[in-house]
Amino acid sequence: MTHLPALVLFDLDGTLVDPAGAITSGIAGALECAGLPVPSEDMLGTLVGPPLGDSLRGAGVPEDRLGEVIALYRAGYRAHGMAASRVYPGIAELLERLLAAGMTLAVATQKPTGLARELLRLKGLDTFFEGIHGADGDDPAPDDPGLGKVPILQAALEAADEFGPVMMVGDRLYDMAAARHLGIPGIGVSWGFAADGELEAAGASAVVHSMPELEAVIGRLAVGQPEAASAGGPVPAA
């Protein structure tokens, strides 16, 4: 029997790349430029992870001004936010080792797909991934609250070639909840933006605190050794 490669899906901001304040300061700058109230630093930190429109709604932006604030944010992000972002130490080396082990890698992010491609190319990470999957664009219309990030993960699965075990690596509850919904083990990373206990409460199969830990958990799941039952078993090969 041929052993099909594991498929590892990665979130982007807070998992592969540290936005280094680009997202929170960018939202604050866009709100200030639009003459709207700027939330506290603690509140701004919670806005990393959800779709941008949802984050801005949470920050109190009126529906009829979402498009304006999103445009201001994106302009600032392209001008200096992407350059300020940093790849987390050890990520590139980890991706190299996973590829060398025969795994297939893809990105599943709430960022618009085009912007995610730009960021990964700028940071020299784009060549590691078979697919880069994000939101369709900056449409500020509310998403179905029952779906969240599920369609993005689903698109990544449908686009991949034949694969064996699947797992999702991310730093927020949205990653873990979408993985759980699809029956995929979710690996939470503690170096991102999750509040204490958030990843566990969202059903993470494991929460890791270092690159060696992450590599070990991925390795075990890749050969069919689940970390826990809370997120379900690996998705069958496509």
Side-chain angles (χ1 to χ4, degrees), residues 198-210:
E198 174 184 313
L199 295 166
E200 293 87 347
S205 294
V207 177
V208 300
H209 308 282
S210 68

Side-chain angles (χ1 to χ4, degrees), residues 147-174:
L147 291 179
K149 202 169 179 178
V150 170
I152 296 172
L153 269 67
Q154 188 66 58
L157 295 178
E158 292 172 357
D161 292 329
E162 286 190 326
F163 52 84
V166 186
M167 63 209 79
M168 175 70 200
V169 182
D171 74 305
R172 292 299 313 273
L173 63 93
Y174 314 100

Side-chain angles (χ1 to χ4, degrees), residues 91-216:
I91 279 291
E93 294 80 4
L94 170 67
L95 298 176
E96 286 178 355
R97 289 193 294 273
L98 296 180
L99 285 180
M103 299 182 197
T104 299
L105 312 180
V107 168
T109 175
Q110 293 280 17
K111 257 186 170 49
T113 302
L115 199 61
R117 290 184 185 279
E118 285 183 51
L119 177 59
L120 289 165
R121 184 167 55 249
L122 180 65
K123 299 304 174 183
L125 298 180
D126 57 314
T127 57
F128 291 111
F129 300 104
E130 181 178 275
I132 298 170
H133 306 274
D136 290 336
D138 283 329
D139 181 359
D143 291 327
D144 182 336
L147 291 179
K149 202 169 179 178
V150 170
I152 296 172
L153 269 67
Q154 188 66 58
L157 295 178
E158 292 172 357
D161 292 329
E162 286 190 326
F163 52 84
V166 186
M167 63 209 79
M168 175 70 200
V169 182
D171 74 305
R172 292 299 313 273
L173 63 93
Y174 314 100
D175 304 303
M176 302 301 104
R180 185 179 178 86
H181 181 87
L182 293 173
I184 300 168
I187 306 171
V189 300
S190 66
W191 52 80
F193 294 88
D196 290 344
E198 174 184 313
L199 295 166
E200 293 87 347
S205 294
V207 177
V208 300
H209 308 282
S210 68
M211 294 300 160
E213 258 191 285
L214 176 56
E215 185 171 3

